[in-house]
Amino acid sequence: MNRYRKILAVGIIDQDDQPALYRALDIAKRSTKSSEITLFCTTYDFSYEMTSMLSADERTAMRNGVVSQKVKMLDDVIESYDIPEHVTITIKIVWHNRPYEAIINEVFDNGYNLLVKATREHAKFETVFFTPTDWHLLRKSPIPVLLVKARGWPDNGNILASVHVGSENPAHLALNHKMVEEAKYFAEVLNSTPHLVNAYPSTPPSIHAELPEFDTVQYKDAIRGHHLTQMKALRQNHGIPEEQTHVYEGITEEVISEVEDELHAGLVILGTTGRTGLSAIFIGNTAENTLSLLNSDILALKPEGYISPLDPNHI
């Protein structure tokens, strides 16, 4: 129950409501071990950099004054939170014009094991809007990224991990196991039930016209059978009951969204691959399409050996 004991919660400047901090506290409260949470924000005002009449020292003093003022505001916010004795919260605000760089630099500098950030609801539509900072963090963070919504996590709910059992790529297979273990961990923490979902591709509509003798029914059965066999092996390896696995034909992001909606899942776990984390894609589907369809919190995991493009040891 103590996998995440050092959490970086990305705060929102000048706002009383801090969803990332709330979720980080929710995780920390469920552990009996000591936990550290850093509420981290960036602030920047270009006009302060353009004040040529001031010396460098004076501009630094002005920036420090702004930061100190905002730290005080967040201190007042934190006083309203119920913080158990085994949890410590530190506020850190830095002056930086690229928030994602400052956040990832903080991760590397201080060895966090979970990054939590709030997403935003679109003002006109019942969808979630992902900012450029969100995408940079998903692609470049060396640690798991938890994107949270405003709603809370229900006890006795469901956790959904989107696995890619049709692949023979060792990196994909290893990441499948990592996602299942993460689903089991959060299911235990949240007193919830872990579920696995996998989508397999439909037979191309044009294949019969191009290859009249091609047996599309046999091909479809073979594809489904392969995915079912691989899912069975994965679930048995981790002790997941068959009724908690879902294998459907269709577009990956649509299948994930449909199962998430059916289960009313509180958390969906996705895996990312590639040297740059996503390389703009999640396993088997377009990241942007998938994330925009989901209503739950999203946990994005990297494969073992992932190297962030912002890793100071590899730049």
Side-chain angles (χ1 to χ4, degrees):
M1 291 289 189
N2 60 344
R3 180 170 301 188
Y4 297 123
R5 295 178 59 186
K6 192 167 185 179
I7 304 173
L8 183 64
V10 179
I12 305 172
I13 285 287
D14 301 327
Q15 180 172 308
D16 289 343
D17 185 29
Q18 297 290 336
L21 176 59
Y22 180 85
R23 189 68 85 248
L25 264 173
D26 194 7
I27 294 171
K29 285 178 180 179
R30 296 172 188 266
S31 171
T32 58
K33 304 291 185 179
S34 60
S35 300
E36 301 174 26
I37 299 173
T38 298
L39 181 60
F40 184 87
C41 300
T42 61
T43 187
Y44 186 81
D45 189 332
F46 186 66
S47 63
Y48 283 84
E49 308 301 318
M50 297 299 291
T51 312
S52 57
M53 295 178 61
L54 299 177
S55 67
D57 288 343
E58 288 172 324
R59 287 197 295 273
T60 298
M62 290 177 65
R63 291 195 294 266
N64 290 341
V66 171
V67 168
S68 297
Q69 181 184 37
K70 295 184 181 299
V71 168
K72 176 61 170 64
M73 293 173 63
L74 289 177
D75 267 329
D76 294 339
V77 170
I78 287 178
E79 287 184 0
S80 66
Y81 282 76
D82 178 22
I83 304 172
E85 291 185 359
H86 71 280
V87 179
T88 59
I89 298 179
T90 303
I91 296 173
K92 187 170 186 178
I93 298 179
V94 300
W95 186 274
H96 205 294
N97 64 343
R98 290 189 178 90
Y100 77 91
E101 287 188 4
I103 294 166
I104 294 178
N105 288 341
E106 176 69 13
V107 169
F108 279 114
D109 289 344
N110 292 292
Y112 299 92
N113 45 40
L114 180 66
L115 171 59
V116 185
K117 185 182 182 300
T119 55
R120 299 178 183 178
E121 289 189 351
H122 197 287
K124 296 183 179 180
F125 307 99
E126 292 183 0
T127 58
V128 174
F129 172 71
F130 291 91
T131 68
T133 296
D134 295 337
W135 289 114
H136 279 296
L137 294 178
L138 286 169
R139 293 180 175 118
K140 299 170 184 175
S141 171
I143 62 174
V145 177
L146 177 62
L147 296 178
V148 304
K149 313 297 192 307
R151 67 180 184 179
W153 278 343
D155 278 340
N156 303 309
N158 293 303
I159 307 296
L160 182 63
S162 173
V163 295
H164 189 50
V165 297
S167 174
E168 296 181 357
N169 185 316
H172 290 183
L173 297 178
L175 191 52
N176 283 340
H177 291 291
K178 186 175 182 179
M179 285 190 289
V180 177
E181 287 297 326
E182 207 70 16
K184 291 168 61 180
Y185 168 76
F186 273 102
E188 184 178 3
V189 168
L190 301 174
N191 192 29
S192 298
T193 303
H195 290 256
L196 312 181
V197 62
N198 177 80
Y200 63 91
S202 303
T203 305
S206 61
I207 196 169
H208 187 69
E210 297 171 355
L211 300 170
E213 297 182 357
F214 186 84
D215 190 335
T216 56
V217 175
Q218 183 178 359
Y219 173 80
K220 180 177 178 179
D221 289 344
I223 291 292
R224 175 171 172 76
H226 173 69
H227 281 253
L228 286 172
T229 299
Q230 295 302 107
M231 178 65 90
K232 179 179 180 180
L234 181 63
R235 70 172 177 79
Q236 287 184 338
N237 186 280
H238 292 276
I240 303 290
E242 182 178 5
E243 61 269 22
Q244 291 165 219
T245 60
H246 312 269
V247 178
Y248 296 116
E249 176 185 14
I251 300 171
T252 305
E253 55 263 36
E254 293 179 357
V255 170
I256 296 172
S257 177
E258 289 170 2
V259 176
E260 177 221 26
D261 187 58
E262 177 185 337
L263 296 174
H264 302 289
L267 176 67
V268 172
I269 301 172
L270 300 170
T272 67
T273 58
R275 184 175 178 82
T276 57
L278 293 177
S279 298
I281 63 169
F282 278 100
I283 291 180
N285 60 277
T286 304
E288 185 172 355
N289 290 343
T290 301
L291 297 183
S292 65
L293 291 173
L294 300 179
N295 296 310
S296 63
D297 286 2
I298 297 162
L299 180 68
L301 303 180
K302 299 293 195 309
E304 296 298 327
Y306 165 77
I307 299 175
S308 168
L310 296 180
D311 187 336
N313 297 317
H314 292 86
I315 294 178

PDB file of all heavy atoms in Angstrom, residues 148-181:
ATOM      1  N   VAL A 148      -6.173  13.749 -13.672  1.00  0.00           N
ATOM      2  CA  VAL A 148      -7.374  13.593 -12.853  1.00  0.00           C
ATOM      3  C   VAL A 148      -8.466  14.562 -13.272  1.00  0.00           C
ATOM      4  O   VAL A 148      -8.208  15.662 -13.753  1.00  0.00           O
ATOM      5  CB  VAL A 148      -7.062  13.757 -11.354  1.00  0.00           C
ATOM      6  CG1 VAL A 148      -5.989  12.790 -10.924  1.00  0.00           C
ATOM      7  CG2 VAL A 148      -6.646  15.182 -11.032  1.00  0.00           C
ATOM      8  N   LYS A 149      -9.697  14.120 -13.047  1.00  0.00           N
ATOM      9  CA  LYS A 149     -10.873  14.943 -13.272  1.00  0.00           C
ATOM     10  C   LYS A 149     -11.350  15.490 -11.924  1.00  0.00           C
ATOM     11  O   LYS A 149     -10.756  15.234 -10.885  1.00  0.00           O
ATOM     12  CB  LYS A 149     -11.982  14.107 -13.915  1.00  0.00           C
ATOM     13  CG  LYS A 149     -11.533  13.244 -15.075  1.00  0.00           C
ATOM     14  CD  LYS A 149     -11.019  14.070 -16.228  1.00  0.00           C
ATOM     15  CE  LYS A 149     -10.845  13.238 -17.489  1.00  0.00           C
ATOM     16  NZ  LYS A 149     -10.040  12.034 -17.354  1.00  0.00           N
ATOM     17  N   ALA A 150     -12.454  16.197 -11.953  1.00  0.00           N
ATOM     18  CA  ALA A 150     -12.956  16.815 -10.730  1.00  0.00           C
ATOM     19  C   ALA A 150     -13.622  15.801  -9.808  1.00  0.00           C
ATOM     20  O   ALA A 150     -13.617  15.952  -8.598  1.00  0.00           O
ATOM     21  CB  ALA A 150     -13.944  17.927 -11.078  1.00  0.00           C
ATOM     22  N   ARG A 151     -14.185  14.744 -10.379  1.00  0.00           N
ATOM     23  CA  ARG A 151     -14.913  13.784  -9.546  1.00  0.00           C
ATOM     24  C   ARG A 151     -13.961  12.910  -8.733  1.00  0.00           C
ATOM     25  O   ARG A 151     -12.795  12.744  -9.082  1.00  0.00           O
ATOM     26  CB  ARG A 151     -15.819  12.913 -10.408  1.00  0.00           C
ATOM     27  CG  ARG A 151     -15.074  11.985 -11.350  1.00  0.00           C
ATOM     28  CD  ARG A 151     -16.057  11.155 -12.165  1.00  0.00           C
ATOM     29  NE  ARG A 151     -15.351  10.189 -12.997  1.00  0.00           N
ATOM     30  CZ  ARG A 151     -15.968   9.332 -13.792  1.00  0.00           C
ATOM     31  NH1 ARG A 151     -17.277   9.319 -13.859  1.00  0.00           N
ATOM     32  NH2 ARG A 151     -15.275   8.477 -14.523  1.00  0.00           N
ATOM     33  N   GLY A 152     -14.481  12.331  -7.652  1.00  0.00           N
ATOM     34  CA  GLY A 152     -13.645  11.507  -6.790  1.00  0.00           C
ATOM     35  C   GLY A 152     -13.609  10.061  -7.237  1.00  0.00           C
ATOM     36  O   GLY A 152     -14.289   9.652  -8.177  1.00  0.00           O
ATOM     37  N   TRP A 153     -12.815   9.284  -6.540  1.00  0.00           N
ATOM     38  CA  TRP A 153     -12.715   7.853  -6.798  1.00  0.00           C
ATOM     39  C   TRP A 153     -13.699   7.112  -5.908  1.00  0.00           C
ATOM     40  O   TRP A 153     -13.623   7.207  -4.684  1.00  0.00           O
ATOM     41  CB  TRP A 153     -11.306   7.362  -6.494  1.00  0.00           C
ATOM     42  CG  TRP A 153     -10.326   7.594  -7.587  1.00  0.00           C
ATOM     43  CD1 TRP A 153     -10.582   7.876  -8.886  1.00  0.00           C
ATOM     44  CD2 TRP A 153      -8.904   7.549  -7.460  1.00  0.00           C
ATOM     45  NE1 TRP A 153      -9.415   8.017  -9.593  1.00  0.00           N
ATOM     46  CE2 TRP A 153      -8.371   7.816  -8.732  1.00  0.00           C
ATOM     47  CE3 TRP A 153      -8.041   7.308  -6.413  1.00  0.00           C
ATOM     48  CZ2 TRP A 153      -7.005   7.849  -8.985  1.00  0.00           C
ATOM     49  CZ3 TRP A 153      -6.678   7.332  -6.657  1.00  0.00           C
ATOM     50  CH2 TRP A 153      -6.169   7.598  -7.927  1.00  0.00           C
ATOM     51  N   PRO A 154     -14.603   6.348  -6.503  1.00  0.00           N
ATOM     52  CA  PRO A 154     -15.541   5.606  -5.656  1.00  0.00           C
ATOM     53  C   PRO A 154     -14.927   4.314  -5.132  1.00  0.00           C
ATOM     54  O   PRO A 154     -14.198   3.626  -5.841  1.00  0.00           O
ATOM     55  CB  PRO A 154     -16.698   5.305  -6.617  1.00  0.00           C
ATOM     56  CG  PRO A 154     -16.038   5.201  -7.962  1.00  0.00           C
ATOM     57  CD  PRO A 154     -14.896   6.192  -7.927  1.00  0.00           C
ATOM     58  N   ASP A 155     -15.210   3.994  -3.876  1.00  0.00           N
ATOM     59  CA  ASP A 155     -14.864   2.666  -3.365  1.00  0.00           C
ATOM     60  C   ASP A 155     -15.794   1.644  -4.025  1.00  0.00           C
ATOM     61  O   ASP A 155     -16.898   1.973  -4.468  1.00  0.00           O
ATOM     62  CB  ASP A 155     -15.023   2.613  -1.851  1.00  0.00           C
ATOM     63  CG  ASP A 155     -13.805   3.191  -1.135  1.00  0.00           C
ATOM     64  OD1 ASP A 155     -12.738   3.263  -1.770  1.00  0.00           O
ATOM     65  OD2 ASP A 155     -13.933   3.581   0.031  1.00  0.00           O
ATOM     66  N   ASN A 156     -15.336   0.401  -4.069  1.00  0.00           N
ATOM     67  CA  ASN A 156     -16.108  -0.687  -4.682  1.00  0.00           C
ATOM     68  C   ASN A 156     -16.420  -0.408  -6.149  1.00  0.00           C
ATOM     69  O   ASN A 156     -17.446  -0.844  -6.674  1.00  0.00           O
ATOM     70  CB  ASN A 156     -17.417  -0.931  -3.908  1.00  0.00           C
ATOM     71  CG  ASN A 156     -17.174  -1.253  -2.448  1.00  0.00           C
ATOM     72  OD1 ASN A 156     -16.379  -2.126  -2.125  1.00  0.00           O
ATOM     73  ND2 ASN A 156     -17.824  -0.511  -1.563  1.00  0.00           N
ATOM     74  N   GLY A 157     -15.529   0.328  -6.816  1.00  0.00           N
ATOM     75  CA  GLY A 157     -15.704   0.635  -8.229  1.00  0.00           C
ATOM     76  C   GLY A 157     -14.899  -0.312  -9.102  1.00  0.00           C
ATOM     77  O   GLY A 157     -14.595  -1.442  -8.711  1.00  0.00           O
ATOM     78  N   ASN A 158     -14.525   0.167 -10.270  1.00  0.00           N
ATOM     79  CA  ASN A 158     -13.777  -0.652 -11.225  1.00  0.00           C
ATOM     80  C   ASN A 158     -12.571   0.101 -11.755  1.00  0.00           C
ATOM     81  O   ASN A 158     -12.624   1.313 -11.985  1.00  0.00           O
ATOM     82  CB  ASN A 158     -14.673  -1.069 -12.396  1.00  0.00           C
ATOM     83  CG  ASN A 158     -15.778  -2.015 -11.970  1.00  0.00           C
ATOM     84  OD1 ASN A 158     -15.522  -3.070 -11.410  1.00  0.00           O
ATOM     85  ND2 ASN A 158     -17.031  -1.621 -12.213  1.00  0.00           N
ATOM     86  N   ILE A 159     -11.483  -0.642 -11.944  1.00  0.00           N
ATOM     87  CA  ILE A 159     -10.258  -0.140 -12.559  1.00  0.00           C
ATOM     88  C   ILE A 159     -10.083  -0.865 -13.885  1.00  0.00           C
ATOM     89  O   ILE A 159     -10.219  -2.087 -13.954  1.00  0.00           O
ATOM     90  CB  ILE A 159      -9.024  -0.413 -11.669  1.00  0.00           C
ATOM     91  CG1 ILE A 159      -9.251   0.117 -10.239  1.00  0.00           C
ATOM     92  CG2 ILE A 159      -7.778   0.191 -12.287  1.00  0.00           C
ATOM     93  CD1 ILE A 159      -9.421   1.593 -10.144  1.00  0.00           C
ATOM     94  N   LEU A 160      -9.784  -0.130 -14.949  1.00  0.00           N
ATOM     95  CA  LEU A 160      -9.681  -0.725 -16.280  1.00  0.00           C
ATOM     96  C   LEU A 160      -8.282  -0.503 -16.850  1.00  0.00           C
ATOM     97  O   LEU A 160      -7.821   0.634 -16.946  1.00  0.00           O
ATOM     98  CB  LEU A 160     -10.720  -0.107 -17.214  1.00  0.00           C
ATOM     99  CG  LEU A 160     -10.779  -0.649 -18.644  1.00  0.00           C
ATOM    100  CD1 LEU A 160     -11.164  -2.134 -18.648  1.00  0.00           C
ATOM    101  CD2 LEU A 160     -11.761   0.166 -19.479  1.00  0.00           C
ATOM    102  N   ALA A 161      -7.607  -1.604 -17.227  1.00  0.00           N
ATOM    103  CA  ALA A 161      -6.299  -1.521 -17.873  1.00  0.00           C
ATOM    104  C   ALA A 161      -6.437  -1.931 -19.326  1.00  0.00           C
ATOM    105  O   ALA A 161      -6.950  -3.006 -19.638  1.00  0.00           O
ATOM    106  CB  ALA A 161      -5.289  -2.422 -17.166  1.00  0.00           C
ATOM    107  N   SER A 162      -5.971  -1.055 -20.220  1.00  0.00           N
ATOM    108  CA  SER A 162      -6.036  -1.341 -21.653  1.00  0.00           C
ATOM    109  C   SER A 162      -4.746  -2.039 -22.079  1.00  0.00           C
ATOM    110  O   SER A 162      -3.698  -1.412 -22.226  1.00  0.00           O
ATOM    111  CB  SER A 162      -6.219  -0.047 -22.440  1.00  0.00           C
ATOM    112  OG  SER A 162      -6.114  -0.290 -23.825  1.00  0.00           O
ATOM    113  N   VAL A 163      -4.830  -3.354 -22.287  1.00  0.00           N
ATOM    114  CA  VAL A 163      -3.647  -4.140 -22.651  1.00  0.00           C
ATOM    115  C   VAL A 163      -3.636  -4.400 -24.154  1.00  0.00           C
ATOM    116  O   VAL A 163      -4.648  -4.256 -24.834  1.00  0.00           O
ATOM    117  CB  VAL A 163      -3.590  -5.464 -21.868  1.00  0.00           C
ATOM    118  CG1 VAL A 163      -3.398  -5.191 -20.386  1.00  0.00           C
ATOM    119  CG2 VAL A 163      -4.856  -6.288 -22.089  1.00  0.00           C
ATOM    120  N   HIS A 164      -2.485  -4.813 -24.646  1.00  0.00           N
ATOM    121  CA  HIS A 164      -2.290  -5.043 -26.081  1.00  0.00           C
ATOM    122  C   HIS A 164      -1.785  -6.471 -26.261  1.00  0.00           C
ATOM    123  O   HIS A 164      -0.605  -6.708 -26.505  1.00  0.00           O
ATOM    124  CB  HIS A 164      -1.283  -4.024 -26.616  1.00  0.00           C
ATOM    125  CG  HIS A 164      -1.143  -4.018 -28.104  1.00  0.00           C
ATOM    126  ND1 HIS A 164      -2.217  -3.942 -28.958  1.00  0.00           N
ATOM    127  CD2 HIS A 164      -0.037  -4.084 -28.898  1.00  0.00           C
ATOM    128  CE1 HIS A 164      -1.795  -3.950 -30.208  1.00  0.00           C
ATOM    129  NE2 HIS A 164      -0.475  -4.044 -30.195  1.00  0.00           N
ATOM    130  N   VAL A 165      -2.705  -7.430 -26.124  1.00  0.00           N
ATOM    131  CA  VAL A 165      -2.280  -8.830 -26.101  1.00  0.00           C
ATOM    132  C   VAL A 165      -1.975  -9.394 -27.482  1.00  0.00           C
ATOM    133  O   VAL A 165      -1.407 -10.477 -27.600  1.00  0.00           O
ATOM    134  CB  VAL A 165      -3.346  -9.718 -25.411  1.00  0.00           C
ATOM    135  CG1 VAL A 165      -3.516  -9.307 -23.958  1.00  0.00           C
ATOM    136  CG2 VAL A 165      -4.677  -9.668 -26.151  1.00  0.00           C
ATOM    137  N   GLY A 166      -2.338  -8.682 -28.536  1.00  0.00           N
ATOM    138  CA  GLY A 166      -2.087  -9.201 -29.873  1.00  0.00           C
ATOM    139  C   GLY A 166      -0.661  -9.031 -30.344  1.00  0.00           C
ATOM    140  O   GLY A 166      -0.255  -9.594 -31.367  1.00  0.00           O
ATOM    141  N   SER A 167       0.131  -8.268 -29.615  1.00  0.00           N
ATOM    142  CA  SER A 167       1.500  -7.980 -30.034  1.00  0.00           C
ATOM    143  C   SER A 167       2.469  -9.065 -29.576  1.00  0.00           C
ATOM    144  O   SER A 167       2.270  -9.704 -28.542  1.00  0.00           O
ATOM    145  CB  SER A 167       1.948  -6.639 -29.456  1.00  0.00           C
ATOM    146  OG  SER A 167       3.307  -6.398 -29.720  1.00  0.00           O
ATOM    147  N   GLU A 168       3.526  -9.250 -30.363  1.00  0.00           N
ATOM    148  CA  GLU A 168       4.614 -10.147 -29.967  1.00  0.00           C
ATOM    149  C   GLU A 168       5.866  -9.363 -29.604  1.00  0.00           C
ATOM    150  O   GLU A 168       6.916  -9.940 -29.339  1.00  0.00           O
ATOM    151  CB  GLU A 168       4.914 -11.139 -31.095  1.00  0.00           C
ATOM    152  CG  GLU A 168       3.743 -12.084 -31.401  1.00  0.00           C
ATOM    153  CD  GLU A 168       4.062 -13.079 -32.494  1.00  0.00           C
ATOM    154  OE1 GLU A 168       5.176 -13.013 -33.058  1.00  0.00           O
ATOM    155  OE2 GLU A 168       3.206 -13.926 -32.792  1.00  0.00           O
ATOM    156  N   ASN A 169       5.742  -8.047 -29.604  1.00  0.00           N
ATOM    157  CA  ASN A 169       6.858  -7.174 -29.251  1.00  0.00           C
ATOM    158  C   ASN A 169       7.169  -7.328 -27.764  1.00  0.00           C
ATOM    159  O   ASN A 169       6.288  -7.129 -26.917  1.00  0.00           O
ATOM    160  CB  ASN A 169       6.488  -5.720 -29.570  1.00  0.00           C
ATOM    161  CG  ASN A 169       7.637  -4.756 -29.345  1.00  0.00           C
ATOM    162  OD1 ASN A 169       8.335  -4.833 -28.347  1.00  0.00           O
ATOM    163  ND2 ASN A 169       7.822  -3.845 -30.279  1.00  0.00           N
ATOM    164  N   PRO A 170       8.394  -7.682 -27.390  1.00  0.00           N
ATOM    165  CA  PRO A 170       8.730  -7.879 -25.973  1.00  0.00           C
ATOM    166  C   PRO A 170       8.428  -6.664 -25.105  1.00  0.00           C
ATOM    167  O   PRO A 170       8.001  -6.814 -23.953  1.00  0.00           O
ATOM    168  CB  PRO A 170      10.236  -8.181 -26.006  1.00  0.00           C
ATOM    169  CG  PRO A 170      10.470  -8.743 -27.382  1.00  0.00           C
ATOM    170  CD  PRO A 170       9.524  -8.001 -28.279  1.00  0.00           C
ATOM    171  N   ALA A 171       8.632  -5.448 -25.658  1.00  0.00           N
ATOM    172  CA  ALA A 171       8.352  -4.238 -24.889  1.00  0.00           C
ATOM    173  C   ALA A 171       6.865  -4.121 -24.594  1.00  0.00           C
ATOM    174  O   ALA A 171       6.457  -3.739 -23.483  1.00  0.00           O
ATOM    175  CB  ALA A 171       8.841  -3.005 -25.638  1.00  0.00           C
ATOM    176  N   HIS A 172       6.026  -4.453 -25.579  1.00  0.00           N
ATOM    177  CA  HIS A 172       4.579  -4.416 -25.372  1.00  0.00           C
ATOM    178  C   HIS A 172       4.152  -5.451 -24.337  1.00  0.00           C
ATOM    179  O   HIS A 172       3.318  -5.171 -23.466  1.00  0.00           O
ATOM    180  CB  HIS A 172       3.848  -4.689 -26.688  1.00  0.00           C
ATOM    181  CG  HIS A 172       3.971  -3.580 -27.684  1.00  0.00           C
ATOM    182  ND1 HIS A 172       3.339  -3.605 -28.906  1.00  0.00           N
ATOM    183  CD2 HIS A 172       4.656  -2.410 -27.647  1.00  0.00           C
ATOM    184  CE1 HIS A 172       3.633  -2.501 -29.574  1.00  0.00           C
ATOM    185  NE2 HIS A 172       4.426  -1.768 -28.829  1.00  0.00           N
ATOM    186  N   LEU A 173       4.697  -6.644 -24.445  1.00  0.00           N
ATOM    187  CA  LEU A 173       4.316  -7.720 -23.528  1.00  0.00           C
ATOM    188  C   LEU A 173       4.714  -7.376 -22.093  1.00  0.00           C
ATOM    189  O   LEU A 173       3.942  -7.608 -21.158  1.00  0.00           O
ATOM    190  CB  LEU A 173       4.972  -9.025 -23.969  1.00  0.00           C
ATOM    191  CG  LEU A 173       4.556  -9.549 -25.363  1.00  0.00           C
ATOM    192  CD1 LEU A 173       5.323 -10.823 -25.702  1.00  0.00           C
ATOM    193  CD2 LEU A 173       3.058  -9.789 -25.421  1.00  0.00           C
ATOM    194  N   ALA A 174       5.919  -6.833 -21.922  1.00  0.00           N
ATOM    195  CA  ALA A 174       6.366  -6.451 -20.577  1.00  0.00           C
ATOM    196  C   ALA A 174       5.483  -5.338 -20.016  1.00  0.00           C
ATOM    197  O   ALA A 174       5.152  -5.323 -18.829  1.00  0.00           O
ATOM    198  CB  ALA A 174       7.823  -6.003 -20.622  1.00  0.00           C
ATOM    199  N   LEU A 175       5.086  -4.413 -20.890  1.00  0.00           N
ATOM    200  CA  LEU A 175       4.244  -3.313 -20.446  1.00  0.00           C
ATOM    201  C   LEU A 175       2.845  -3.806 -20.075  1.00  0.00           C
ATOM    202  O   LEU A 175       2.216  -3.269 -19.157  1.00  0.00           O
ATOM    203  CB  LEU A 175       4.166  -2.244 -21.542  1.00  0.00           C
ATOM    204  CG  LEU A 175       3.534  -0.898 -21.179  1.00  0.00           C
ATOM    205  CD1 LEU A 175       4.169  -0.311 -19.917  1.00  0.00           C
ATOM    206  CD2 LEU A 175       3.662   0.070 -22.341  1.00  0.00           C
ATOM    207  N   ASN A 176       2.359  -4.826 -20.773  1.00  0.00           N
ATOM    208  CA  ASN A 176       1.078  -5.430 -20.396  1.00  0.00           C
ATOM    209  C   ASN A 176       1.102  -5.892 -18.937  1.00  0.00           C
ATOM    210  O   ASN A 176       0.179  -5.620 -18.158  1.00  0.00           O
ATOM    211  CB  ASN A 176       0.761  -6.635 -21.294  1.00  0.00           C
ATOM    212  CG  ASN A 176       0.261  -6.232 -22.662  1.00  0.00           C
ATOM    213  OD1 ASN A 176      -0.209  -5.118 -22.869  1.00  0.00           O
ATOM    214  ND2 ASN A 176       0.364  -7.153 -23.605  1.00  0.00           N
ATOM    215  N   HIS A 177       2.160  -6.611 -18.569  1.00  0.00           N
ATOM    216  CA  HIS A 177       2.277  -7.105 -17.190  1.00  0.00           C
ATOM    217  C   HIS A 177       2.358  -5.940 -16.202  1.00  0.00           C
ATOM    218  O   HIS A 177       1.760  -5.988 -15.112  1.00  0.00           O
ATOM    219  CB  HIS A 177       3.509  -8.000 -17.052  1.00  0.00           C
ATOM    220  CG  HIS A 177       3.391  -9.307 -17.769  1.00  0.00           C
ATOM    221  ND1 HIS A 177       2.525 -10.302 -17.358  1.00  0.00           N
ATOM    222  CD2 HIS A 177       4.014  -9.795 -18.883  1.00  0.00           C
ATOM    223  CE1 HIS A 177       2.619 -11.339 -18.167  1.00  0.00           C
ATOM    224  NE2 HIS A 177       3.510 -11.055 -19.101  1.00  0.00           N
ATOM    225  N   LYS A 178       3.066  -4.906 -16.585  1.00  0.00           N
ATOM    226  CA  LYS A 178       3.200  -3.735 -15.716  1.00  0.00           C
ATOM    227  C   LYS A 178       1.844  -3.076 -15.493  1.00  0.00           C
ATOM    228  O   LYS A 178       1.501  -2.675 -14.371  1.00  0.00           O
ATOM    229  CB  LYS A 178       4.181  -2.739 -16.341  1.00  0.00           C
ATOM    230  CG  LYS A 178       4.518  -1.537 -15.478  1.00  0.00           C
ATOM    231  CD  LYS A 178       5.584  -0.682 -16.150  1.00  0.00           C
ATOM    232  CE  LYS A 178       5.975   0.500 -15.279  1.00  0.00           C
ATOM    233  NZ  LYS A 178       7.038   1.329 -15.922  1.00  0.00           N
ATOM    234  N   MET A 179       1.038  -2.970 -16.553  1.00  0.00           N
ATOM    235  CA  MET A 179      -0.278  -2.354 -16.429  1.00  0.00           C
ATOM    236  C   MET A 179      -1.214  -3.192 -15.564  1.00  0.00           C
ATOM    237  O   MET A 179      -1.998  -2.655 -14.777  1.00  0.00           O
ATOM    238  CB  MET A 179      -0.878  -2.126 -17.814  1.00  0.00           C
ATOM    239  CG  MET A 179      -0.261  -0.953 -18.552  1.00  0.00           C
ATOM    240  SD  MET A 179      -1.187  -0.536 -20.045  1.00  0.00           S
ATOM    241  CE  MET A 179      -0.784  -1.929 -21.082  1.00  0.00           C
ATOM    242  N   VAL A 180      -1.149  -4.519 -15.717  1.00  0.00           N
ATOM    243  CA  VAL A 180      -2.007  -5.383 -14.904  1.00  0.00           C
ATOM    244  C   VAL A 180      -1.625  -5.262 -13.428  1.00  0.00           C
ATOM    245  O   VAL A 180      -2.502  -5.175 -12.550  1.00  0.00           O
ATOM    246  CB  VAL A 180      -1.918  -6.846 -15.367  1.00  0.00           C
ATOM    247  CG1 VAL A 180      -2.774  -7.742 -14.464  1.00  0.00           C
ATOM    248  CG2 VAL A 180      -2.379  -6.984 -16.813  1.00  0.00           C
ATOM    249  N   GLU A 181      -0.336  -5.250 -13.130  1.00  0.00           N
ATOM    250  CA  GLU A 181       0.097  -5.099 -11.742  1.00  0.00           C
ATOM    251  C   GLU A 181      -0.378  -3.767 -11.172  1.00  0.00           C
ATOM    252  O   GLU A 181      -0.767  -3.675 -10.004  1.00  0.00           O
ATOM    253  CB  GLU A 181       1.626  -5.207 -11.651  1.00  0.00           C
ATOM    254  CG  GLU A 181       2.152  -6.616 -11.836  1.00  0.00           C
ATOM    255  CD  GLU A 181       1.653  -7.557 -10.744  1.00  0.00           C
ATOM    256  OE1 GLU A 181       1.490  -7.112  -9.583  1.00  0.00           O
ATOM    257  OE2 GLU A 181       1.405  -8.739 -11.055  1.00  0.00           O
TER     258      GLU A 181
END
